[in-house]
Amino acid sequence: MEERVGDHARIGPTTRLECKVCWHVYDPSAGDPVWQIPPGTPFTQLPAHWTCPNCSTTKDGFLVLHDD
Ligand SMILES: [Zn+2]
């Protein structure tokens, strides 16, 4: 089941997102050791209760990072 976030259509399996509060970056290739999220987990597959491991901002507070 997928979670709807603001830029959902632009979030791919390797898309990184940045917390708009503390600039923490969620990188799918690294996962999230704080939440015991295994590497390779897309942002859209994070549990619904996942929040920023740094400042507890919800997924809605994350912005898509562009590589270009
Ligand atoms: Zn944060």
Side-chain angles (χ1 to χ4, degrees), residues 19 21-24 52 54-57 62:
C19 174
V21 176
C22 74
W23 313 112
H24 171 82
C52 176
N54 209 36
C55 73
S56 297
T57 291
F62 277 72

Side-chain angles (χ1 to χ4, degrees), residues 6-49:
D7 286 324
H8 184 267
R10 288 150 60 203
I11 300 176
T14 61
T15 302
R16 293 174 302 139
L17 286 93
E18 184 176 62
C19 174
K20 68 182 179 185
V21 176
C22 74
W23 313 112
H24 171 82
V25 173
Y26 178 75
D27 184 348
S29 68
D32 181 357
V34 175
W35 278 85
Q36 299 184 320
I37 304 297
T41 304
F43 188 83
T44 53
Q45 297 298 312
L46 291 171
H49 59 276

